[in-house]
């Protein structure tokens, strides 16, 4: 008769604990993602080759190490590494005060663009945590400032849609530019005029005026400006 194998209940418990530990190691929950201070995030700016490269935008921190040629020391985007420079994504100011997470004074369309950049990093890189400060509190909860930014971005999307609808009603001009000849605008039908965008639409960060084509019987409408140096009924104007 085969001998019975006696197994202590403590062996089963030990195996269970080991498996639980392995699961916790390999499947870390999102709630455990790290909270960074400004000083801690600055360590991951690409200068220490033993550390990954992190970037912050709207308080969300991403591992961009796989883009080391761009975000590492000497790379074209290194000014974004080790900090939250959200404003610079639309301002183009990559020095001094331009490298800040403050969005004060930006239009709703510009804020919308920054939110879209954040979405790009969520899709393309690994989210590793949150930066405590303007956008997240010490517990990792969104601040009123972040909620305000997202509401302003939503408003920017609404205004952009309105702008597209309004401008579709009046055809825009054709345009071209070259370094040798400068720029010109022209209309296949009608003549070019500069027209003021509605105030709330102009505040989306786009130019406040645009070139549109008007037929001769529409030229008496108020707010239509003839390009300087251009004949009243000319179909092409130098700009």
């Amino acid at each position: 008769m085969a001998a019975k194998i006696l197994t202590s209940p403590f062996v089963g418990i030990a195996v269970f604990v080991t498996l639980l530990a392995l699961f916790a190691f390999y499947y870390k929950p999102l709630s455990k993602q790290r909270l960074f201070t400004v000083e801690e995030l600055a360590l991951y700016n690409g200068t220490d080759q033993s550390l990954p490269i992190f970037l912050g935008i709207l308080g969300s921190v991403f591992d961009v190490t796989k883009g080391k040629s761009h975000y590492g020391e000497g790379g074209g985007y290194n000014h974004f590494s080790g900090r939250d420079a959200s404003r610079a994504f639309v301002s183009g100011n990559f020095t001094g005060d331009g490298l800040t997470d403050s969005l004060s004074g930006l239009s709703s369309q510009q804020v919308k663009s920054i939110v879209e950049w954040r979405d790009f990093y969520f899709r393309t890189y690994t989210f590793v945590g949150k930066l405590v400060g303007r956008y997240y509190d010490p517990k990792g909860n969104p601040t009123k400032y972040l909620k305000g930014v997202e509401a302003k971005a939503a408003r920017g999307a609404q205004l952009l849609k309105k702008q597209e609808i309004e401008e579709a009603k009046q055809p825009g001009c054709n345009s071209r530019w070259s370094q040798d000849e400068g720029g010109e605008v022209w209309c296949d039908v009608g003549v070019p005029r500069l027209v003021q965008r509605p105030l709330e639409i102009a505040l989306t960060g786009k130019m406040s005026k645009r070139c549109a084509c008007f037929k001769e019987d529409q030229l008496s409408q108020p707010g239509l400006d003839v390009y300087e140096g251009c004949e009243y009924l000319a179909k092409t104007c130098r700009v």
Side-chain angles (χ1 to χ4, degrees), residues 107-117 149 152-154 156-158 160:
S107 70
S108 57
Q109 177 62 26
Q110 289 172 313
V111 173
K112 173 180 174 291
S113 294
I114 296 172
V115 169
E116 289 171 346
W117 272 111
V149 162
K152 190 170 185 177
Q158 293 172 350
L160 183 60

Side-chain angles (χ1 to χ4, degrees), residues 5 28 41 61 67 78 98 109 124 133 138 140 144 147 221 238:
I5 299 175
K28 295 179 181 178
L41 182 58
V61 180
N78 179 247
Q109 177 62 26
T124 311
K144 289 183 178 179
K147 294 175 182 177
Q221 296 180 25
R238 308 293 302 180

